[in-house]
Each structure stands twice: as C-alpha cells, then as structure tokens.
Amino acid sequence: MSEISSAIQVCIAGTGSYLPERILTNAELAERVETSDEWIVTRTGIRERRIAAEGQCTSDMATEAAKKALEQAGLAAEDVELIIVATITPDTLTPATACYVQKNLGALGAVAFDISAACSGFLYAMKISKRMISSGAFKNALIIGAEKLSAVTNWEDRTTCVLFGDGAGAAVLRAAEPEEGSILATEMGTDGNLTHLLNIPGGGTACPITSENVGENLFALTMMGKEVFKHAVTRMKEAAEKVIERAGLQPQDIACVIPHQANLRIIDAIADRLAVPNERVFVNLDKYGNTSAAAVAIALDEANRSGAFKRGDNIVLVVFGAGLTWAAAAVRW
C-alpha cells in the first residue's frame, strides 16, 4: 500500500523553533583560529551561528521549540501521545532527552524516546511517527530536532568549528481531516560503510574518554569534507526525486524545497539537480550554520511562519547526515 493511499492521512499541524540568544560571528571566530569572514562565507555560506548559554541543555532548547509547535497546533501538552527527539547531543546517554522534554512540558501521557541519525534525525522521526499515526496506534506526535553542537566542537579546528551551531525545531503531527494537507511520501536510507566520513570518535564503548586521552578532543566532530559533499549531493538528490515521484508530482509542482542547512554549495547543487529555481529553495544557513538534526526543523518553522508556502502548496524536505544517513519527505501543506 502506498503512503498516499493509507487509511489515515497525517498532517503537520504546527511547527516551532528555538535559537539561543548568543550569536557567534565569523569575525569572532577569526580571532580564535586562522580564518576570515570571506573564507567561511565563500566556502560554506555561513555568516554567524547561535551558541547555547552555559548550563543550557539540549532538552531546554527542545522544550522551547516544542511549546511553540504545540501552541500553533492547538494541542495541549497533556494530550500529546508520542514524543520523539532526534539528537546526537543528548543531555545524558540515558535516560533519553525526550524524557526530560516530556517532564518539562508536563506531557506525562506521552511515550517518549530519542533517535540518533545525525542531520537526518528529524525526517527519520517524521517517517516513524507518520507510520505510527497512520496505523492508528497514536493520534498525534511531537517530533523535535535539537542539538547543542557547541559541546562537541573542537574550537581549535578551523575546518569544523566554523560550521556548527545550536538550536531546536519541532513539529506536531496528527491525523488529518479530509480538507487538510498531508505528508504524501517519505524516504530514508543509510550506508554504514561510510561511518568514517563524519563522526565523533570518542565517548562511546569503542573509545571511552579516559584520563589518558581526555586532551585529544576525541569527543568532537570530525569530518572528511570533500567526500561528505559528494555523497550528500548524490543521496539527497535521489531521496528527493523518490518522494516527488511517489507523491505524483513534478519539480514544477514544488512551491518550496527545504534542504538540510550544512553548506550553501550543497544546497545550490541540489536545487540545480532537481531543476527547482533557487528562489523556491529556503535557506537560513547564513544565520545559524549547521545545527544537525535541528537544521531542517528550524528551517521548516521559519519557512512556515514567514509565508514561504501556503495551504495547499507542495513542499519537499531533504536531508543528509553522519551514518551516512539521508531522508526526504513530500508534504502537501
């Protein structure tokens, strides 16, 4: 059975986002490492990023984004049935960050758990929750992408420290009414043969942080940029094309493409390969940098609230992340 013809259609009823107040500019980074505003902008498109306050956890940002999504959806916290938090920077390894969010919101009737799919996590959560609602197991879901990447950034590595920021985005999914839009098609994939291209080498059971290696920055993101770029463009294009086809659409039917906000060159390449005009591609990378699982969620909320699309429009979300993972979704708003 295709996703479009499933008995219970699922819509996005509300979105929300949260960005920390602290802005870290390229000029400030140039004082820390050998770089410049021109170098960063030319290679990435990033001009500034947000940094969480001292003591501000991933769950704190996730909670604020969730509150805004619930408000827009008109859903009370006590009526939420499912909470999924996508993150690679959890408050604690256990319990899940979603449990802290549940407590913060007072959504004590919800099942809550995390998923780890890096930058693809929010769309992984969308597919999982859509299936659960379509099956009748849940009436609604609160999905959140939230990251405190400043906590896993090597601030002495100029090739990575310029890229990442903190923030959270959220969406409420529920069973759609007949006259409402719906999530038309979803896609996700993984290639574990490429785990070495983008990872945090230390902190897990394979390489625990000890007193002997604590100074080696093993609990920081590392990346092979050129290889990641190549695979990102290929996989995102394939995923986006699959959901467009499954939804019965053509590129000209897409009012807005919301890609993962990692690098402007990747975004431009995706727009070109999908034959979608640049003016239909939503970009906020310049303001926030790469916020991993939060990036597409924040962009969705900003696009929604800024009027980048309207009711009845078709939009496509497409992402790529460590794993390597990728995902896409076609949505009729």
Side-chain angles (χ1 to χ4, degrees):
M1 179 181 292
S2 72
E3 291 176 289
I4 297 175
S5 63
S6 60
I8 300 176
Q9 297 298 303
V10 178
C11 70
I12 299 175
T15 62
S17 59
Y18 171 82
L19 283 306
E21 293 182 8
R22 167 84 166 96
I23 296 174
L24 179 61
T25 66
N26 290 345
E28 290 176 271
L29 282 173
E31 296 175 359
R32 297 188 184 188
V33 294
E34 185 181 348
T35 190
S36 67
D37 177 70
E38 181 184 12
W39 189 91
I40 298 170
V41 172
T42 300
R43 287 161 178 77
T44 69
I46 301 169
R47 297 184 181 276
E48 55 190 39
R49 66 288 294 148
R50 300 297 181 94
I51 303 297
E54 185 176 353
Q56 189 174 36
C57 301
T58 298
S59 65
D60 297 326
M61 296 184 285
T63 299
E64 294 306 310
K67 288 177 180 177
K68 294 178 182 177
L70 289 171
E71 180 181 11
Q72 189 175 84
L75 182 65
E78 56 265 31
D79 295 327
V80 175
E81 297 190 358
L82 175 64
I83 300 172
I84 304 176
V85 173
T87 186
I88 58 168
T89 53
D91 286 20
T92 54
L93 290 178
T94 191
T97 298
C99 297
Y100 299 113
V101 174
Q102 185 217 46
K103 178 189 72 172
N104 293 345
L105 292 173
L108 299 183
V111 174
F113 61 89
D114 289 359
I115 60 172
S116 177
C119 309
S120 303
F122 183 75
L123 292 192
Y124 270 44
M126 183 178 291
K127 185 177 182 77
I128 292 167
S129 56
K130 176 187 181 298
R131 288 285 181 159
M132 288 181 165
I133 296 170
S134 292
S135 73
F138 294 90
K139 293 179 181 178
N140 60 62
L142 171 62
I143 61 173
I144 307 166
E147 302 287 10
K148 187 177 178 179
L149 294 178
S150 59
V152 293
T153 296
N154 179 357
W155 293 103
E156 297 176 358
D157 178 8
R158 74 166 189 158
T159 64
T160 57
C161 75
V162 302
L163 301 175
F164 302 113
D166 302 333
V172 172
L173 275 59
R174 61 164 169 77
E177 299 295 332
E179 72 280 3
E180 291 184 310
S182 64
I183 300 170
L184 302 175
T186 56
E187 168 72 7
M188 60 184 187
T190 306
D191 186 351
N193 291 314
L194 301 174
T195 55
H196 61 287
L197 297 185
L198 179 56
N199 63 26
I200 298 174
T205 57
C207 182
I209 302 300
T210 66
S211 57
E212 287 76 22
N213 66 21
V214 70
E216 298 177 21
N217 279 316
L218 295 175
F219 195 62
L221 282 160
T222 65
M223 181 174 65
M224 298 173 64
K226 290 182 180 180
E227 285 298 307
V228 169
F229 182 100
K230 179 178 69 175
H231 289 286
V233 172
T234 300
R235 293 301 192 179
M236 289 171 71
K237 173 183 178 290
E238 291 173 351
E241 287 177 338
K242 284 181 180 179
V243 296
I244 290 170
E245 180 181 359
R246 289 176 193 161
L249 302 173
Q250 299 293 327
Q252 60 266 30
D253 300 324
I254 309 302
C256 185
V257 174
I258 304 175
H260 176 48
Q261 306 291 310
N263 186 302
L264 190 57
R265 291 178 175 179
I266 294 176
I267 293 172
D268 287 343
I270 292 300
D272 181 63
R273 285 161 174 76
L274 291 177
V276 175
N278 282 337
E279 58 267 24
R280 295 188 188 180
V281 180
F282 189 84
V283 179
N284 62 6
L285 170 73
D286 55 314
K287 298 185 294 182
Y288 308 132
N290 182 352
T291 54
S292 189
V296 76
I298 294 169
L300 173 63
D301 180 52
E302 289 201 345
N304 177 26
R305 293 175 185 265
S306 68
F309 50 81
K310 61 185 185 301
R311 179 178 288 273
D313 279 348
N314 300 307
I315 68 172
V316 169
L317 302 98
V318 59
V319 294
F320 179 88
L324 293 177
T325 60
W326 56 90
V331 180
R332 179 161 297 135
W333 200 254

